[in-house]
Amino acid sequence: GVRCGTTSLYHYLGQHNCIKQAAYDELGYFDDNFHLGLNWYRSLFPTKFMQKKIENQYKKFLTYDVTPFYIYNPLVVDRIFKFSPNVKIIAALRNPIDRAYSNFNNRLQQLNDTKTIFEDMVNNEIEIIKKKEKDTKDDAFLVNTFYELDLAKGFYAEQLRLWFEKFPKKNILLISSEDLSTDTNRIISEIFEFLEVPKQEISDLTKQNKIKYPKMRDSTREILIDFFKPYNEKLFDMIGKRFDWNK
């Protein structure tokens, strides 16, 4: 997901001998750039020559696209399934409270906005979500309006349900961004196991795309813990796995 450590993941995976990344992260082919066609998409990945070279040397070749906006777009799920039904999918999920706060601050920095207050955004979005949730069966509304909300981006159960309906569960790996950040080697090992490539130490574990901003108010955090609790529980029930997010 957006602001969930996907840029770091893009940077880490390509260091494995068997894995080569696309030309850059957030290619957005299956959503915004689909009209550019498959030849454009393929041109952003390693050549057949490179693939053969890696296969000869290391017995296996994998490549990948890291685009966080794919996760909540039903059209993308269908397009990826048609393109490659056996694809392996890794979703990095961050505590939705921290994710919303990071999204908000990132946007403010880009707009050079010093006036908008996080608490106002939170109150405003909670009101909108209460009114709008019944409209979330409309895909265009969902992608263009509902998931533009910082808080709604953290409704992972609803987003992942679409992927689980299409792809076999064994082809989807869910990791928490917190674990990726604090226990990087373990998570990277888990990913390599999932991708069925040999274990390998990654030499450069520098975190990418970090931004600095002030700490969130405790009172706001309390409101958001309560707000997200039912959505988080829905996710944990669905995936049979818990993340330490209720704090």
Side-chain angles (χ1 to χ4, degrees):
V2 190
R3 306 298 314 159
C4 290
T6 50
T7 305
S8 292
L9 202 52
Y10 171 83
H11 172 69
Y12 299 154
L13 294 182
Q15 294 179 54
H16 192 285
N17 291 336
C18 299
I19 306 173
K20 276 273 173 279
Q21 67 263 59
Y24 51 92
D25 65 344
E26 300 192 6
L27 298 180
Y29 170 62
F30 291 101
D31 50 20
D32 294 349
N33 292 323
F34 199 63
H35 63 284
L36 296 176
L38 200 47
N39 285 341
W40 173 81
Y41 188 53
R42 289 209 165 112
S43 76
L44 298 169
F45 288 93
T47 59
K48 282 272 194 308
F49 173 78
M50 175 66 80
Q51 180 174 343
K52 280 277 168 287
K53 192 177 162 194
I54 289 172
E55 279 172 351
N56 289 339
Q57 198 172 351
Y58 299 110
K59 310 288 180 275
K60 185 163 188 168
F61 168 81
L62 295 174
T63 186
Y64 59 95
D65 169 356
V66 175
T67 303
F69 309 99
Y70 287 166
I71 190 170
Y72 52 69
N73 192 328
L75 191 56
V76 166
V77 182
D78 289 340
R79 285 170 172 172
I80 291 179
F81 185 75
K82 286 194 183 87
F83 173 72
S84 180
N86 298 315
V87 70
K88 292 210 165 189
I89 295 151
I90 301 167
L93 306 176
R94 183 178 184 181
N95 182 332
I97 299 172
D98 299 319
R99 187 251 179 88
Y101 194 50
S102 179
N103 260 121
F104 172 83
N105 282 290
N106 191 43
R107 191 170 57 251
L108 254 51
Q109 286 185 17
Q110 287 173 349
L111 297 171
N112 199 16
D113 175 352
T114 52
K115 293 187 174 61
T116 308
I117 296 165
F118 184 62
E119 282 64 30
D120 293 345
M121 183 282 282
V122 167
N123 295 331
N124 185 33
E125 287 199 1
I126 288 174
E127 283 309 306
I128 293 171
I129 286 165
K130 279 179 190 159
K131 291 193 189 87
K132 297 281 188 190
E133 269 189 300
K134 59 186 180 303
D135 299 327
T136 55
K137 296 293 170 274
D138 171 354
D139 287 356
F141 167 79
L142 198 66
V143 175
N144 300 325
T145 306
F146 193 70
Y147 286 134
E148 284 297 304
L149 301 172
D150 287 335
L151 299 186
K153 284 189 179 80
F155 295 170
Y156 302 128
E158 205 46 46
Q159 297 164 23
L160 289 168
R161 187 179 50 78
L162 304 165
W163 297 88
F164 284 125
E165 282 168 5
K166 284 268 181 197
F167 296 92
K169 230 175 181 154
K170 68 178 174 55
N171 284 358
I172 301 175
L173 176 68
L174 305 176
I175 60 171
S176 89
S177 305
E178 292 79 18
D179 289 345
L180 179 63
S181 179
T182 58
D183 201 355
T184 313
N185 281 315
R186 180 179 66 83
I187 296 300
I188 295 291
S189 290
E190 201 180 312
I191 290 171
F192 290 158
E193 203 172 301
F194 168 71
L195 296 174
E196 296 170 328
V197 294
K199 272 202 164 61
Q200 187 183 317
E201 283 286 311
I202 293 304
S203 56
D204 181 2
L205 293 175
T206 318
K207 291 179 180 60
Q208 306 290 312
N209 211 14
K210 286 176 75 175
I211 60 170
K212 285 194 161 50
Y213 42 82
K215 184 177 174 285
M216 190 190 308
R217 287 183 201 166
D218 290 344
S219 55
T220 310
R221 191 162 200 99
E222 290 303 320
I223 289 166
L224 288 173
I225 287 168
D226 286 346
F227 174 74
F228 277 115
K229 202 168 266 177
Y231 297 99
N232 290 343
E233 288 303 324
K234 204 170 160 190
L235 171 74
F236 302 151
D237 287 349
M238 190 176 107
I239 66 175
K241 184 171 174 177
R242 297 186 73 81
F243 300 129
D244 192 14
W245 287 346
N246 292 329
K247 62 181 189 183

